[in-house]
Amino acid sequence: MTINLTFLCAPGGDPTLDPLLGDAPLSRRSLNMVGAAGAALAPRGSAVRAPSLRCSQTADALGLVAVSEPELRDLDLGTWRGRTVDDVAVTDPDGFTAWLTDPDAAPHDGESVRRLCHRTADWLSSMAPGTSHTVAITEAAVIRAALIHALAVPARAFWHLAVPPLSAVSLTWRDGCWDVRLGYLSPQGAPALVPLLRSGTPARAQSAQSASAHPSGGKRSSFSRETIFASSR
């Protein structure tokens, strides 16, 4: 029995303002972008979404009736919620660096990257065999966590996985492992997908990690802000 699931990354908050850590409503521009891209979304049997406002608005703009799924909630940012990245980086530089380099770090007293990865992996593992054509609208962080699990790469690769707004990541469970297709839901047409990846093939998983890494070559200090807010643009 197979499982067919497509993660769709919701856009972030209002890009005309300093981006804030945590949930935010979609800007009019983002709503228009999602609505225009809706025609490219293939028919699905069911839909779920993260409980955030932006994921709810994304589902509505796509014309999907999506059930709120608490396990797909965004990374809990604890005391950093509502603050800007610049503010956190200036006032807590050591904590900010630890957050981007250590998957077990939680300097904000919220949730570590590794805990998010475990939570997302548990949700994927709980899906019933035969689940088909399901779309999950969620945050970039949750999609990164799903890729960590599906491709069986270390949690430290989390921030190297670029997940821009309206990314369409298709996961198919068969033969004991996940097949992965990475694409983008374009307002101009059908989503384009890159070649199939399999979690059971370490070389391909490693290749996927490299292909998705930021062009900075892994220098976290130079891409941290852009990576975190890829879904805000």
Side-chain angles (χ1 to χ4, degrees), residues 54-115:
R54 62 171 160 251
C55 287
S56 174
Q57 290 181 319
T58 299
D60 290 344
L62 289 170
L64 295 176
V65 178
V67 177
S68 178
E69 173 49 69
E71 293 306 303
L72 294 179
R73 66 189 181 276
D74 199 5
L75 179 70
D76 181 359
L77 297 170
T79 58
W80 290 358
R81 191 181 301 111
R83 298 172 62 185
T84 67
V85 168
D86 286 344
D87 177 35
V88 172
V90 168
T91 60
D92 187 9
D94 292 338
F96 187 68
T97 298
W99 184 49
L100 296 177
T101 56
D102 180 3
D104 293 305
H108 40 55
D109 296 324
E111 186 176 29
S112 71
V113 164
R114 194 179 304 277
R115 286 183 61 188

Side-chain angles (χ1 to χ4, degrees), residues 151-154 156-157 161 197-213:
L151 294 175
V153 296
R156 65 177 177 272
L161 298 170
L197 306 171
R198 303 209 73 182
S199 61
T201 309
R204 289 188 179 180
Q206 195 172 41
S207 174
Q209 177 184 338
S210 299
S212 300

